Amino acid sequence: MVVSASGKPVKPVPDPAPAQQIPWGVNRIDAELAWPQNTGQGVKVAVLDTGIDLSHPDLLANIKGGYNAIKPNKSPADDNGHGTHVAGIIAAVNDNIGVVGVAPQAELYAVKVLSANGSGYLSDIIEGLEWCITNNMQVINMSLGTSSEVQSFHDAVIKVYNAGIVMVAAAGNSGPGDNTVEYPAKYEEVIAVSATSDNDAIASFSSRGPDR
């Protein structure tokens, strides 16, 4: 409790919420120029990751559901932070505070396939992909990868592709060598995305190759 010189309690004045910013990456692709025509409204985007902070004020309005493939009887809440960060890039709401995402009215679905330490099993990722098919997702983001090609994983990716779902995956952080793109980004059914720097060059750490 704050006390004034007169001895009477004084209520502290909370700091004002920070003004909303467009992250440099979102601004770099000119996402805001598309918003008058399309903000992602009605598009179901599954984030296969460590989960999403289900009470995050910049995401809450857009979170519509999810699934925990690791522990199906538990919530898909984020216990790492990575999935929440990714979800914010995709669809942080346009509410004049915090940041705003590429598609600020897209519907977010938290599909937890990675544990608190950011790692996981392909079996859980495959289960997450199956959930996406069953629940009619339209876009799947996978900011994850492995250097090993596993046929059951590719089979699951092909099944998702045949269901008409768009898959986007990180190329990986195994650069700068050539042909370093990881799976599932390396599969032809998936859109591979490398990282870039703020000077529009491919990031030194980013995987690269003919698949990206």
Side-chain angles (χ1 to χ4, degrees), residues 103-116:
Q105 288 188 303
E107 298 180 1
L108 290 170
Y109 290 80
V111 183
K112 184 171 175 59
V113 297
L114 301 178
S115 66

Side-chain angles (χ1 to χ4, degrees), residues 166-191:
V166 175
M167 290 172 284
V168 181
N173 297 333
S174 300
D178 291 333
N179 198 26
T180 52
V181 177
E182 298 182 348
Y183 300 96
K186 196 173 180 70
Y187 294 133
E188 63 180 359
E189 296 85 6
V190 179
I191 299 170

